[in-house]
């Protein structure tokens, strides 16, 4: 086993991301999460399943906890780039569209609405990213670490809203329609996060476009209108 003084490469280092070795380690981690669970797996299990030796593993990660954390960090970093950075690009100016259940556009106009921070194109890209890496998101969401992904997804959505408000020069308020600002933010991001979270837990059965439609309809649907 290598010396504990060895410092692994930072997860944020571009050269580290997406190497073949890390891809094999991630695949091994995902497989073992499915078959043994996080608590039961060992570094030796991960190395053996990945077809590497323990020394190679320790060149990248301190232990299995560090591996899991870096994998989660990488996923959140990618989602942040898709939702916050890419969404701010000029070719993704918000085009607010309300879509009927039948898929027809019932309203379309450009407007400076904060809820337009959840742009269908960026949300769809994020959903495709999740679906393309479904095995990983599935095992992490069903482990004891699942709430970290959920909570951090909410933080990304909050950043998205703040970025949108900044672009529009909107002044922050202490309350919105009588709801304190922190509660209003929580209500807004929790609705979107919960839709995406349920989609993951159900196996990403619906298409990203269908989930985007649900999120769009949710923007203009009062909770009381959903009740029966």
């Amino acid at each position: 086993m290598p010396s504990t003084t060895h410092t692994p490469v930072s997860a944020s280092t571009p050269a580290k991301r997406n190497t073949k070795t890390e891809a094999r380690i991630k695949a091994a981690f995902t497989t073992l999460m499915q078959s043994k669970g996080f608590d039961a797996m060992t570094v030796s299990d991960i190395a053996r399943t990945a077809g590497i030796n323990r020394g190679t593993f320790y060149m990248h990660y301190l232990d299995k906890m560090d591996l899991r954390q870096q994998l989660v960090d990488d996923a959140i970093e990618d989602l942040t780039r898709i939702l916050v950075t890419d969404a701010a690009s000029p070719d993704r100016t918000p085009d607010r569209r309300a879509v009927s259940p039948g898929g027809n556009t019932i309203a379309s106009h450009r407007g400076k609405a904060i809820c337009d921070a959840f742009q269908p194109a960026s949300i769809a890209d994020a959903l495709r990213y999740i679906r393309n890496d479904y095995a990983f998101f599935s095992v992490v969401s069903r482990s004891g670490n699942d709430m970290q992904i959920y909570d951090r997804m909410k933080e990304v959505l909050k950043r998205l809203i703040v970025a949108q408000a900044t672009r529009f020069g909107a002044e922050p308020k202490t309350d919105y329609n009588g709801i304190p600002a922190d509660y209003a933010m929580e209500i807004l991001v929790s609705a979107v996060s919960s839709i995406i979270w349920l989609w993951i837990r159900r196996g990403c059965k619906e298409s990203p476009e269908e989930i985007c439609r649900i999120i769009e309809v949710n923007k203009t649907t009062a909770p009381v209108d959903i009740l029966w």
Side-chain angles (χ1 to χ4, degrees):
M1 178 175 178
S3 170
T4 56
T5 60
H6 178 80
T7 302
V9 182
S10 169
S12 62
T13 303
K16 177 186 180 303
R17 298 290 302 276
N18 300 323
T19 68
K20 290 182 179 180
T21 299
E22 286 145 8
R24 289 164 67 180
I25 292 173
K26 180 179 179 179
F29 173 84
T30 302
T31 297
L32 290 166
M33 283 287 287
Q34 294 170 328
S35 62
K36 301 185 69 169
F38 183 75
D39 292 338
M41 79 170 70
T42 65
V43 169
S44 294
D45 291 332
I46 297 170
R48 182 168 52 253
T49 304
I52 61 174
N53 58 50
R54 285 164 54 91
T56 300
F57 175 91
Y58 286 113
M59 288 178 62
H60 298 272
Y61 309 101
L62 293 172
D63 49 34
K64 68 176 185 178
M65 281 75 74
D66 183 50
L67 166 61
R68 180 176 65 180
Q69 189 61 54
Q70 288 197 34
L71 291 176
V72 170
D73 289 346
D74 286 349
I76 294 299
E77 180 182 332
D78 287 340
L79 288 172
T80 300
R81 174 183 54 77
I82 294 168
L83 289 169
V84 180
T85 306
D86 291 358
S89 61
D91 61 340
R92 287 203 168 175
T93 302
D95 186 0
R96 192 178 184 189
R97 296 178 183 274
V99 183
S100 68
N104 299 316
T105 299
I106 57 178
S108 176
H109 65 278
R110 296 191 180 276
K112 296 184 176 182
I114 300 303
C115 65
D116 282 338
F118 302 139
Q119 298 176 40
S122 295
I123 294 291
D125 285 346
L127 295 177
R128 292 187 193 100
Y129 171 85
I130 292 172
R131 187 174 63 178
N132 289 340
D133 200 11
Y134 172 71
F136 170 73
F137 279 95
S138 177
V139 296
V140 173
S141 71
R142 296 177 187 279
S143 73
N145 203 45
D146 60 346
M147 294 314 296
Q148 179 187 170
I149 283 279
Y150 178 77
D151 290 338
R152 292 183 65 183
M153 188 183 300
K154 285 168 58 177
E155 290 303 314
V156 172
L157 294 176
K158 288 178 182 178
R159 286 183 57 185
L160 184 59
I161 292 173
V162 170
Q164 179 84 338
T166 300
R167 285 197 296 274
F168 291 161
E171 294 293 330
K173 300 178 182 179
T174 57
D175 71 86
Y176 297 83
N177 293 327
I179 301 176
D182 51 350
Y183 285 93
M185 177 70 84
E186 186 69 17
I187 291 170
L188 186 57
V189 300
S190 291
V192 177
S193 297
S194 295
I195 291 170
I196 296 174
W197 196 244
L198 180 60
W199 179 65
I200 295 173
R201 297 299 291 265
R202 287 164 55 103
C204 296
K205 295 178 180 178
E206 297 87 356
S207 68
E209 291 73 21
E210 173 63 10
I211 298 302
C212 285
R213 185 194 68 79
I214 293 172
I215 291 173
E216 283 294 299
V217 172
N218 176 69
K219 289 181 184 179
T220 55
T221 303
V224 68
D225 294 331
I226 301 175
L227 300 176
W228 64 89

